Amino acid sequence: MKKKPLLSFWQLWNMSFGYVGIQFGFALQNANVSRIFETLGAKVENIAILWIAAPVTGLPVQPIIGHMSDKTWNRMGAPQSLFSARGVWR
């Protein structure tokens, strides 16, 4: 079994700030989603249903896609063919 490489302080620092940037982007996007829903014609009373729609549909769909991906192997050995489909779908 391969030993995991030890990361230096600066590698951990850079990785942490990379994740902070990603979280900041998600927070900005989520802050405006309700307004976008309203602009598209959703009533304020229905916005909660729209917020819960993605997680509820992801619960049954993600295991199916994961199962399909686990059975897909290419010449490099790793299941990669459905990764891009998952990214486009989300």
Side-chain angles (χ1 to χ4, degrees), residues 21 23 53 66 88:
Q23 290 299 324
V88 170

Side-chain angles (χ1 to χ4, degrees), residues 1 4 20 23-24 27 31-32 34 39 42 44 52-53 55 58-59 64 66 79 83 87:
M1 183 175 278
K4 293 181 182 179
V20 166
Q23 290 299 324
F24 188 71
N32 294 307
S34 294
T39 302
V44 175
I52 198 72
L59 284 173
I64 294 169
F83 290 161

